[in-house]
Amino acid sequence: MTLPRHIAVIMDGNGRWAEARGLPRSSGHQHGLEPVRMCIRRCRHYGIEALTVYAFSSENWRRPSAEVSGLMNLFFDALESDTGSLLENGVRLRFIGDRDSLEPALRARMAESEQRTAANHQLSFQVAVSYGGRNDLMRAARTLAERCVRGELRSEQIDEAAVAGEVSLAGLPEPDLFIRTGGEQRISNFLLWNIAYSELYFTDTLWPDFDEAAFDAALQQFATRQRRFGLTGAQVVGSQAGQH
Ligand code: IPE
Ligand code: IPE
Ligand code: MG
């Protein structure tokens, strides 16, 4: 089976999962932790190199403050409870997004977990917190502009590789498979640069219900896709035949 090297996930549907049970939305977020652990285990099982999950968007700051602070507390506690197991399982944790908008205590814990797992290389696990794809591109543009102003770079040297080198996921393979749970079929300002050629997979399953079978179903669907990258189907088949 053809496996993706990098999976990006929009973990959506926690609120609706809770509301359907008469529970507070915060309970849905709590129940969203186990599927994250499952995805990590599954990626390790298959030898998938990278996993990037969307935990909190730059737009999610507009939610009621109690929900926002509940989520921040959940992230804080999850780092406390789970960093040890990431460490033991060869997982390197990194955060992408605008850290400046986070509480200093959370920022410190994020940095600590990143440092503790920095030598791991089995699975690169990125968590997007206060992340926006447009902000990511804007920052890359600003960094490149600053390098031009300092005379380190000429504007004609700004090519696709230069931009790719400045966005948050620089250095990782592009996500091959993009999964969104919860039924919505949109990008919601996730990895705009990196998903240019990702295979998109949408499922109605709500995030807290996303289990091993659901993960494997996404992989199976991915394996059936013919990735053409602009070529004709015959060209793709021909180049695959040439590889054997
Ligand atoms: C995704 O679930 C988690 C976050 C955005 C933090 P939601 O909270 O968006 O759940 P729904 O979409 O309201 O069901
Ligand atoms: C996207 O989900 C962000 C995360 C899953 C963290 P949302 O629930 O915030 O997206 P919209 O608002 O429905 O587009
Ligand atoms: Mg949602």
PDB file of all heavy atoms in Angstrom, residues 11-16 25 29 55 60 63 67 71, ligand 1:
ATOM      1  N   MET A  11      -8.570  18.690  13.074  1.00  0.00           N
ATOM      2  CA  MET A  11      -9.300  17.901  14.068  1.00  0.00           C
ATOM      3  C   MET A  11     -10.581  18.669  14.410  1.00  0.00           C
ATOM      4  O   MET A  11     -10.586  19.477  15.331  1.00  0.00           O
ATOM      5  CB  MET A  11      -8.432  17.745  15.318  1.00  0.00           C
ATOM      6  CG  MET A  11      -6.991  17.322  15.016  1.00  0.00           C
ATOM      7  SD  MET A  11      -6.010  17.002  16.497  1.00  0.00           S
ATOM      8  CE  MET A  11      -5.726  18.655  17.128  1.00  0.00           C
ATOM      9  N   ASP A  12     -11.639  18.421  13.656  1.00  0.00           N
ATOM     10  CA  ASP A  12     -12.848  19.235  13.848  1.00  0.00           C
ATOM     11  C   ASP A  12     -14.018  18.371  14.303  1.00  0.00           C
ATOM     12  O   ASP A  12     -14.112  17.189  13.950  1.00  0.00           O
ATOM     13  CB  ASP A  12     -13.183  19.950  12.527  1.00  0.00           C
ATOM     14  CG  ASP A  12     -14.182  21.083  12.729  1.00  0.00           C
ATOM     15  OD1 ASP A  12     -14.312  21.592  13.867  1.00  0.00           O
ATOM     16  OD2 ASP A  12     -14.840  21.462  11.742  1.00  0.00           O
ATOM     17  N   GLY A  13     -14.896  18.978  15.083  1.00  0.00           N
ATOM     18  CA  GLY A  13     -16.137  18.318  15.484  1.00  0.00           C
ATOM     19  C   GLY A  13     -16.240  18.022  16.978  1.00  0.00           C
ATOM     20  O   GLY A  13     -17.215  17.399  17.416  1.00  0.00           O
ATOM     21  N   ASN A  14     -15.293  18.504  17.758  1.00  0.00           N
ATOM     22  CA  ASN A  14     -15.331  18.261  19.213  1.00  0.00           C
ATOM     23  C   ASN A  14     -16.585  18.856  19.854  1.00  0.00           C
ATOM     24  O   ASN A  14     -17.220  18.217  20.696  1.00  0.00           O
ATOM     25  CB  ASN A  14     -14.123  18.909  19.898  1.00  0.00           C
ATOM     26  CG  ASN A  14     -12.805  18.308  19.477  1.00  0.00           C
ATOM     27  OD1 ASN A  14     -12.776  17.263  18.840  1.00  0.00           O
ATOM     28  ND2 ASN A  14     -11.716  18.965  19.848  1.00  0.00           N
ATOM     29  N   GLY A  15     -16.898  20.078  19.469  1.00  0.00           N
ATOM     30  CA  GLY A  15     -18.035  20.779  20.071  1.00  0.00           C
ATOM     31  C   GLY A  15     -19.334  20.051  19.775  1.00  0.00           C
ATOM     32  O   GLY A  15     -20.151  19.803  20.673  1.00  0.00           O
ATOM     33  N   ARG A  16     -19.530  19.682  18.508  1.00  0.00           N
ATOM     34  CA  ARG A  16     -20.766  18.983  18.132  1.00  0.00           C
ATOM     35  C   ARG A  16     -20.860  17.619  18.792  1.00  0.00           C
ATOM     36  O   ARG A  16     -21.937  17.158  19.168  1.00  0.00           O
ATOM     37  CB  ARG A  16     -20.858  18.870  16.603  1.00  0.00           C
ATOM     38  CG  ARG A  16     -21.351  20.157  15.954  1.00  0.00           C
ATOM     39  CD  ARG A  16     -21.091  20.183  14.490  1.00  0.00           C
ATOM     40  NE  ARG A  16     -19.672  20.400  14.214  1.00  0.00           N
ATOM     41  CZ  ARG A  16     -19.095  20.136  13.054  1.00  0.00           C
ATOM     42  NH1 ARG A  16     -19.787  19.606  12.074  1.00  0.00           N
ATOM     43  NH2 ARG A  16     -17.814  20.392  12.889  1.00  0.00           N
ATOM     44  N   ARG A  25     -18.984  21.844  25.672  1.00  0.00           N
ATOM     45  CA  ARG A  25     -18.038  21.739  24.563  1.00  0.00           C
ATOM     46  C   ARG A  25     -16.647  21.329  25.057  1.00  0.00           C
ATOM     47  O   ARG A  25     -15.919  20.610  24.379  1.00  0.00           O
ATOM     48  CB  ARG A  25     -17.938  23.077  23.811  1.00  0.00           C
ATOM     49  CG  ARG A  25     -19.218  23.437  23.059  1.00  0.00           C
ATOM     50  CD  ARG A  25     -19.080  24.810  22.397  1.00  0.00           C
ATOM     51  NE  ARG A  25     -17.976  24.831  21.459  1.00  0.00           N
ATOM     52  CZ  ARG A  25     -18.051  24.450  20.183  1.00  0.00           C
ATOM     53  NH1 ARG A  25     -19.202  24.040  19.687  1.00  0.00           N
ATOM     54  NH2 ARG A  25     -17.002  24.500  19.404  1.00  0.00           N
ATOM     55  N   HIS A  29     -13.548  18.650  23.722  1.00  0.00           N
ATOM     56  CA  HIS A  29     -12.109  18.897  23.539  1.00  0.00           C
ATOM     57  C   HIS A  29     -11.282  17.873  24.325  1.00  0.00           C
ATOM     58  O   HIS A  29     -10.288  17.358  23.837  1.00  0.00           O
ATOM     59  CB  HIS A  29     -11.748  20.322  23.949  1.00  0.00           C
ATOM     60  CG  HIS A  29     -12.431  21.374  23.111  1.00  0.00           C
ATOM     61  ND1 HIS A  29     -12.492  21.290  21.732  1.00  0.00           N
ATOM     62  CD2 HIS A  29     -13.087  22.511  23.439  1.00  0.00           C
ATOM     63  CE1 HIS A  29     -13.159  22.353  21.258  1.00  0.00           C
ATOM     64  NE2 HIS A  29     -13.540  23.099  22.279  1.00  0.00           N
ATOM     65  N   ALA A  55      -4.637  22.386  16.122  1.00  0.00           N
ATOM     66  CA  ALA A  55      -5.261  22.352  17.439  1.00  0.00           C
ATOM     67  C   ALA A  55      -6.020  23.636  17.755  1.00  0.00           C
ATOM     68  O   ALA A  55      -7.013  23.624  18.491  1.00  0.00           O
ATOM     69  CB  ALA A  55      -4.202  22.116  18.516  1.00  0.00           C
ATOM     70  N   ASN A  60      -9.684  31.055  16.051  1.00  0.00           N
ATOM     71  CA  ASN A  60     -10.343  30.489  17.235  1.00  0.00           C
ATOM     72  C   ASN A  60     -10.253  31.408  18.461  1.00  0.00           C
ATOM     73  O   ASN A  60     -10.996  31.221  19.430  1.00  0.00           O
ATOM     74  CB  ASN A  60      -9.777  29.110  17.580  1.00  0.00           C
ATOM     75  CG  ASN A  60     -10.182  28.008  16.620  1.00  0.00           C
ATOM     76  OD1 ASN A  60      -9.437  27.062  16.369  1.00  0.00           O
ATOM     77  ND2 ASN A  60     -11.386  28.092  16.063  1.00  0.00           N
ATOM     78  N   ARG A  63     -13.568  32.835  19.839  1.00  0.00           N
ATOM     79  CA  ARG A  63     -14.557  32.038  20.591  1.00  0.00           C
ATOM     80  C   ARG A  63     -14.750  32.623  21.996  1.00  0.00           C
ATOM     81  O   ARG A  63     -13.916  33.403  22.463  1.00  0.00           O
ATOM     82  CB  ARG A  63     -14.081  30.585  20.676  1.00  0.00           C
ATOM     83  CG  ARG A  63     -14.116  29.925  19.317  1.00  0.00           C
ATOM     84  CD  ARG A  63     -13.957  28.434  19.427  1.00  0.00           C
ATOM     85  NE  ARG A  63     -14.028  27.852  18.096  1.00  0.00           N
ATOM     86  CZ  ARG A  63     -14.167  26.566  17.848  1.00  0.00           C
ATOM     87  NH1 ARG A  63     -14.229  25.708  18.858  1.00  0.00           N
ATOM     88  NH2 ARG A  63     -14.227  26.119  16.609  1.00  0.00           N
ATOM     89  N   GLU A  67     -14.143  29.091  26.633  1.00  0.00           N
ATOM     90  CA  GLU A  67     -13.731  27.971  25.786  1.00  0.00           C
ATOM     91  C   GLU A  67     -12.247  28.100  25.431  1.00  0.00           C
ATOM     92  O   GLU A  67     -11.498  27.113  25.463  1.00  0.00           O
ATOM     93  CB  GLU A  67     -14.581  27.906  24.506  1.00  0.00           C
ATOM     94  CG  GLU A  67     -14.158  26.743  23.602  1.00  0.00           C
ATOM     95  CD  GLU A  67     -15.157  26.388  22.503  1.00  0.00           C
ATOM     96  OE1 GLU A  67     -16.304  26.878  22.537  1.00  0.00           O
ATOM     97  OE2 GLU A  67     -14.774  25.606  21.607  1.00  0.00           O
ATOM     98  N   LEU A  71      -9.293  25.465  26.485  1.00  0.00           N
ATOM     99  CA  LEU A  71      -8.404  24.809  25.514  1.00  0.00           C
ATOM    100  C   LEU A  71      -6.940  25.021  25.882  1.00  0.00           C
ATOM    101  O   LEU A  71      -6.128  24.093  25.804  1.00  0.00           O
ATOM    102  CB  LEU A  71      -8.674  25.357  24.107  1.00  0.00           C
ATOM    103  CG  LEU A  71      -9.877  24.737  23.399  1.00  0.00           C
ATOM    104  CD1 LEU A  71     -10.342  25.608  22.239  1.00  0.00           C
ATOM    105  CD2 LEU A  71      -9.546  23.328  22.901  1.00  0.00           C
TER     106      LEU A  71
HETATM  107  C1  IPE B   1     -12.284  21.510  16.749  1.00  0.00           C
HETATM  108  O1  IPE B   1     -13.565  21.245  17.190  1.00  0.00           O
HETATM  109  C2  IPE B   1     -11.384  21.978  17.858  1.00  0.00           C
HETATM  110  C3  IPE B   1     -11.051  23.401  17.795  1.00  0.00           C
HETATM  111  C4  IPE B   1     -11.384  24.227  16.829  1.00  0.00           C
HETATM  112  C5  IPE B   1     -10.292  23.937  18.886  1.00  0.00           C
HETATM  113  P1  IPE B   1     -14.657  22.392  17.262  1.00  0.00           P
HETATM  114  O2  IPE B   1     -14.600  23.011  18.616  1.00  0.00           O
HETATM  115  O3  IPE B   1     -14.536  23.338  16.128  1.00  0.00           O
HETATM  116  O4  IPE B   1     -15.973  21.540  17.122  1.00  0.00           O
HETATM  117  P2  IPE B   1     -17.298  21.933  16.310  1.00  0.00           P
HETATM  118  O5  IPE B   1     -16.871  22.221  14.901  1.00  0.00           O
HETATM  119  O6  IPE B   1     -17.866  23.127  16.989  1.00  0.00           O
HETATM  120  O7  IPE B   1     -18.148  20.722  16.422  1.00  0.00           O
END
